Amino acid sequence: QVQLVESGGGLVQAGGSLRVSCAASGSIFRINDMGWYRQAPGKQRELVAAITSGGITNYADSVKGRFTISRDNTKNTVYVQMNSLKPEDTAVYFCNARIQPVGEWRQRNYWGQGTQVTVSS
């Protein structure tokens, strides 16, 4: 069984910073792309940032220059460092990863349970 567990969300004032982490665990053969999505109340889930196994990154225009995604392949963990936070960044942040479990020939799409990030004005 493969799991993604997020940590590090919370409440921060506008202009502040937070780092959110997501660790993958279980019977993992290979982790491919990893990423962060967010969903604000009444809105659709949207991509925030993604990173390939080789370290190539992609960001939503709304977070470029403020957020940095990274990963530690030795720990099966992906991070997003969020700086210059704005009230509109308030959302539940979900970790996503495409993982090939041990004993399976193809990758599956996994989601974390989500962590709340609230930015006060």
Side-chain angles (χ1 to χ4, degrees):
Q1 193 79 336
V2 174
Q3 287 188 353
L4 299 180
V5 178
E6 298 114 335
S7 61
L11 174 64
V12 65
Q13 288 189 331
S17 298
L18 276 177
R19 190 177 83 154
V20 185
S21 304
C22 171
S25 63
S27 299
I28 296 170
F29 177 70
R30 180 185 292 119
I31 302 178
N32 298 308
D33 295 352
M34 303 184 84
W36 290 95
Y37 288 71
R38 67 186 180 187
Q39 188 166 18
K43 295 189 176 181
Q44 289 189 332
R45 190 173 297 190
E46 63 176 1
L47 175 68
V48 174
I51 185 167
T52 68
S53 57
I56 297 171
T57 59
N58 181 42
Y59 295 93
D61 287 343
S62 59
V63 307
K64 281 180 181 175
R66 300 188 298 121
F67 289 14
T68 302
I69 189 170
S70 61
R71 63 191 284 173
D72 183 339
N73 292 330
T74 66
K75 298 180 179 179
N76 291 342
T77 299
V78 63
Y79 310 91
V80 60
Q81 176 68 42
M82 302 181 286
N83 298 328
S84 302
L85 282 160
K86 305 175 181 180
E88 51 263 44
D89 294 317
T90 295
V92 178
Y93 283 69
F94 296 90
C95 174
N96 173 263
R98 299 186 188 277
I99 297 174
Q100 182 179 356
V102 171
E104 298 194 23
W105 63 273
R106 63 180 180 180
Q107 64 182 11
R108 294 178 180 271
N109 197 35
Y110 292 90
W111 291 93
Q113 79 284 359
T115 186
Q116 178 69 46
V117 172
T118 302
V119 184
S120 63
S121 57

